[in-house]
Amino acid sequence: MDITINNLFDLNETIAKDIFTDATYPWEVLSKIGDFIIELGKNLPEDEYELRGENIWVHKSANVFPSAYIAGPAIICKDAEVRHCAFIRGKAIVGEGAVVGNSTELKNVILFNKVQVPHYNYVGDSILGFKAHMGAGSITSNVKSDKKLIVIKNGDERIETGIKKIGAFLGDNVEVGCGSVLNPGTIVGRESNIYPLSSVRGVVASNSIYKNKNEIVSKN
């Protein structure tokens, strides 16, 4: 499958579009998220965004519950919702209309517009495309148990990333079932569905239904 940025994401559906300009693959931007947020935040319109602490910009229409914790750098976009006891550890962009739910933890992530991580999710070192949804209790695992550098496995192709921490990259409109684990370096193409309680590795093609590693069927 083509796992380039343009094949996974509609870049018009994120405030972070410019971070992808010189990149081919999504993991190439992970190390840039923090600095990008700081520079972008300085230029956000002051009549729309409120500066809440060091390098934390929150759109005035966003609904951030009093019990949520946000560390900078972070940008919470228009009409986003950050619910009770959400834990944003920094280097996070929460897109327009996105939902970060109760007890959900984010770290070094870009959530495109309308993403939902609404219940007990961990999302780290990851990028979630437009309208991607992670069911309750589903998480991204971002470090291998042997602590080795992550290799992206795309069919017979092996791509050395040189990176120790990579979570998952979900294309636009991906649905991840409850209780699933997306192992380090997982990539799920646009419009695909992951069954609940799945352990996913490697690349799942666009427009697929992932039932288990031996049963991945096309929607077409």
Side-chain angles (χ1 to χ4, degrees), residues 70-89:
I70 304 175
I75 295 174
I76 313 299
C77 294
K78 179 181 178 182
D79 296 327
E81 188 169 287
V82 182
R83 293 176 178 166
H84 175 64
C85 289
F87 180 28
I88 298 179
R89 287 169 50 195

Side-chain angles (χ1 to χ4, degrees), residues 45-90:
E46 293 182 3
D47 60 334
E48 295 182 31
Y49 283 85
E50 178 183 355
L51 184 62
R52 298 189 187 180
E54 186 176 0
N55 297 322
I56 302 169
W57 292 270
V58 179
H59 197 280
K60 293 179 181 179
S61 67
N63 182 14
V64 178
F65 284 41
S67 56
Y69 177 87
I70 304 175
I75 295 174
I76 313 299
C77 294
K78 179 181 178 182
D79 296 327
E81 188 169 287
V82 182
R83 293 176 178 166
H84 175 64
C85 289
F87 180 28
I88 298 179
R89 287 169 50 195

Side-chain angles (χ1 to χ4, degrees), residues 13-203:
E13 291 292 349
T14 178
I15 197 173
K17 179 179 181 178
D18 290 345
I19 198 174
F20 299 100
T21 299
D22 297 321
T24 301
Y25 298 110
W27 57 87
E28 295 172 3
V29 309
L30 292 177
S31 63
K32 304 176 184 179
I33 293 174
D35 290 340
F36 178 84
I37 291 172
I38 292 171
E39 291 306 309
L40 179 59
K42 293 175 182 177
N43 297 302
L44 291 173
E46 293 182 3
D47 60 334
E48 295 182 31
Y49 283 85
E50 178 183 355
L51 184 62
R52 298 189 187 180
E54 186 176 0
N55 297 322
I56 302 169
W57 292 270
V58 179
H59 197 280
K60 293 179 181 179
S61 67
N63 182 14
V64 178
F65 284 41
S67 56
Y69 177 87
I70 304 175
I75 295 174
I76 313 299
C77 294
K78 179 181 178 182
D79 296 327
E81 188 169 287
V82 182
R83 293 176 178 166
H84 175 64
C85 289
F87 180 28
I88 298 179
R89 287 169 50 195
K91 299 182 181 179
I93 295 175
V94 178
E96 290 188 14
V99 174
V100 181
N102 60 305
S103 304
T104 290
E105 179 179 349
L106 303 182
K107 188 270 294 187
N108 199 44
V109 298
I110 298 173
L111 306 186
F112 277 53
N113 300 340
K114 301 291 182 69
V115 165
Q116 293 195 359
V117 283
H119 311 285
Y120 313 109
N121 305 110
Y122 172 68
V123 187
D125 302 290
S126 299
I127 300 172
L128 277 54
F130 178 58
K131 285 189 174 180
H133 171 256
M134 294 182 66
S138 60
I139 64 169
T140 64
S141 173
N142 60 341
V143 181
K144 295 178 64 177
S145 59
D146 60 11
K147 307 300 190 290
K148 291 182 178 179
L149 301 180
I150 292 168
V151 177
I152 306 295
K153 299 176 182 179
N154 183 20
D156 294 330
E157 183 181 18
R158 301 288 184 271
I159 303 175
E160 303 277 352
T161 68
I163 303 172
K164 182 180 177 181
K165 291 187 177 183
I166 299 178
F169 305 106
L170 304 184
D172 298 338
N173 294 299
V174 165
E175 290 279 344
V176 177
C178 297
S180 294
V181 176
L182 306 175
N183 288 282
T186 294
I187 300 175
V188 183
R190 295 185 188 200
E191 310 287 345
S192 288
N193 291 57
I194 306 298
Y195 264 31
L197 300 177
S198 296
S199 177
V200 187
R201 297 180 187 276
V203 175

